[in-house]
Amino acid sequence: MPLKIAWGITGSGDLIADIFKVMGEVSTMKDVEITSILSKAAVTVLKWYKLMDQLDHIAKKVIIEIDANTPFIVGPLQTGAFDCFVVAPATANTVAKIVNGIADTIITNSVSQTNKTDTNIFILPVDQKKGTTTTILPGGKKLELTMRDIDIENTDRLRQMKGIIVLEKPAEIKNAISQPK
């Protein structure tokens, strides 16, 4: 029976190339099946980075948000249809909503409801450490970003939440998904 992974993607371009590389490698592993769940903002970002075609090669199924509960993915996440839920990348907005109990997008609602079960949830926030980071824009141009204190505080709060495992870098995804429930 394949390892079934739900992969939630939010609207961040930061780390997206590295995440796609790792998830592409994961998709070629024996007995792995990926269903990707895209927020509305993720669709915009993936089109900007020209990654939608690549996503079709990584994921067996792609679900695009209409609203927080449509298409209906929460039920399958709660009832064990997936072995784990990976949210990568997770924007500061998504992290803030999760730690404050706001479930108004397909990703935040899925995390909220999946967290009521024993399904592993792995989240890779893009804003993790104080200071600056350099991200790569479409076309390869670099952009330096300064992390906001509130975003770092929210990521720290996310680390304290029961049932959620915060990943620090894309390379950790492979090891994370191999963890038993």
Side-chain angles (χ1 to χ4, degrees), residues 68-69 71-79 106 109-110 113-114:
N69 213 29
F72 186 64
I73 190 63
V74 169
L77 279 162
Q78 283 188 313
T79 59
I106 200 164
N109 189 37
S110 294
Q113 298 309 310
T114 303

Side-chain angles (χ1 to χ4, degrees), residues 2-175:
L3 175 68
K4 294 190 176 190
I5 302 167
W7 173 26
I9 305 173
T10 68
S12 174
D14 192 24
L15 303 176
I16 197 71
D18 292 337
I19 291 166
F20 263 66
K21 181 179 181 211
V22 169
M23 293 306 289
E25 292 168 2
V26 168
S27 74
T28 64
M29 293 167 53
K30 185 178 166 96
D31 293 326
V32 170
E33 185 178 298
I34 299 172
T35 297
S36 63
I37 306 160
L38 278 58
S39 70
K40 292 175 185 176
V43 173
T44 301
V45 170
L46 294 183
K47 286 180 180 177
W48 192 38
Y49 279 82
K50 298 179 177 26
L51 292 170
M52 289 298 287
D53 287 341
Q54 189 176 341
L55 182 62
D56 288 335
H57 296 291
I58 295 172
K60 180 177 181 181
K61 183 176 183 182
V62 177
I63 295 171
I64 298 175
E65 175 181 26
I66 295 171
D67 62 40
N69 213 29
T70 311
F72 186 64
I73 190 63
V74 169
L77 279 162
Q78 283 188 313
T79 59
F82 294 95
D83 296 294
C84 64
F85 184 27
V86 177
V87 180
T91 61
N93 186 48
T94 297
V95 171
K97 288 179 176 189
I98 292 168
V99 301
N100 285 292
I102 300 169
D104 64 351
T105 71
I106 200 164
I107 302 298
T108 57
N109 189 37
S110 294
V111 170
S112 172
Q113 298 309 310
T114 303
N115 199 26
K116 297 175 182 180
T117 72
D118 66 349
T119 299
N120 286 332
I121 302 171
F122 304 102
I123 300 179
L124 177 60
V126 293
D127 298 342
Q128 294 200 33
K129 296 179 180 149
K130 283 189 174 203
T132 59
T133 188
T134 302
T135 190
I136 307 299
L137 298 172
K141 185 178 176 184
K142 293 181 180 182
L143 175 65
E144 191 166 292
L145 301 171
T146 302
M147 300 302 103
R148 301 181 318 158
D149 289 343
I150 188 69
D151 299 329
I152 303 308
E153 290 166 17
N154 285 334
T155 296
D156 289 342
R157 288 178 61 199
L158 186 67
R159 285 186 177 94
Q160 302 306 313
M161 289 183 70
K162 183 179 179 197
I164 293 177
I165 300 160
V166 174
L167 305 176
E168 292 189 14
K169 52 191 169 196
E172 294 177 0
I173 293 171
K174 280 185 187 178
N175 285 338

